Amino acid sequence: RIDADDDMFGIQLSLLAYMAEVEHALILERTMGGRMQKAAAGGWPLGEPPFGVMLDADGNPVLNPDEVKQIEAYAAFMIDSPEPVTQEDAARHLNALGYTQRNGKPWAGGNLGRRIEASLRRYVEFVFAGENEDGDPITTTFRIDVPKPLPEERIESLRVVINRGKRAKGKH
């Protein structure tokens, strides 16, 4: 029992604070080490996979058929529209078709664009940063490939349309 009136109170409190700090550092080290081992073995270390991808029972990234349908609908709208369209137009289009984000909320243009672009990248990088035993900063990066949600030529066409929209948006 710690008594605030005891002469040793400050020392006891300092010792407990130090022990808590060491324990916290150990937990972080073990957690980060576990995530790094999982990524090094090709497993998914943390967070959600990109839109259009899910993890199978073994933790490997595979296509999510329901989300791929949304990506296909987005691509068809963006690429095949006779008039130039915006991300907001695409979000309204997907919402009208009854599609939603993973959390069930309706799509918004900026969010939709970021999610689609991440799914087209075909890989995810996990960056782990920390310090070595000497206190020098170290960074380890793992790249995990994910399946592509569309055929390659469709991905390239979609990238062209997305980038064209970004350039047009920046000119206003």
Side-chain angles (χ1 to χ4, degrees), residues 125-141:
E125 283 188 347
F126 294 95
V127 179
F128 299 98
E131 295 179 349
N132 63 14
E133 298 82 25
D134 300 326
D136 298 325
I138 56 171
T139 303
T140 304
T141 303

Side-chain angles (χ1 to χ4, degrees), residues 2 8-20:
I2 298 177
M8 299 295 288
F9 174 73
I11 294 172
Q12 289 175 329
L13 195 59
S14 294
L15 182 60
L16 287 173
Y18 174 75
M19 290 170 52

Side-chain angles (χ1 to χ4, degrees), residues 16-65:
L16 287 173
Y18 174 75
M19 290 170 52
E21 195 174 311
V22 167
E23 182 62 23
H24 177 71
L26 283 172
I27 290 169
L28 288 178
E29 184 178 322
R30 289 181 192 132
T31 301
M32 191 64 69
R35 288 178 176 167
M36 288 176 66
Q37 283 182 327
K38 180 106 177 182
W44 201 266
L46 70 151
E48 287 187 338
F51 193 76
V53 176
M54 63 184 182
L55 302 178
D56 66 12
D58 296 324
N60 298 313
V62 296
L63 288 175
N64 179 328

Side-chain angles (χ1 to χ4, degrees), residues 44-104:
W44 201 266
L46 70 151
E48 287 187 338
F51 193 76
V53 176
M54 63 184 182
L55 302 178
D56 66 12
D58 296 324
N60 298 313
V62 296
L63 288 175
N64 179 328
D66 294 330
E67 292 178 357
V68 169
K69 287 179 188 172
Q70 291 190 55
I71 295 170
E72 289 169 345
Y74 170 86
F77 182 77
M78 294 295 287
I79 296 169
D80 302 333
S81 291
E83 300 288 324
V85 291
T86 66
Q87 297 289 352
E88 285 299 328
D89 295 331
R92 283 191 291 276
H93 177 71
L94 290 182
N95 291 335
L97 293 174
Y99 291 125
T100 60
Q101 300 177 54
R102 283 182 177 159
N103 62 10

Side-chain angles (χ1 to χ4, degrees), residues 119-131:
S119 72
L120 299 180
R121 198 173 299 126
R122 296 180 304 241
Y123 66 88
V124 177
E125 283 188 347
F126 294 95
V127 179
F128 299 98
E131 295 179 349

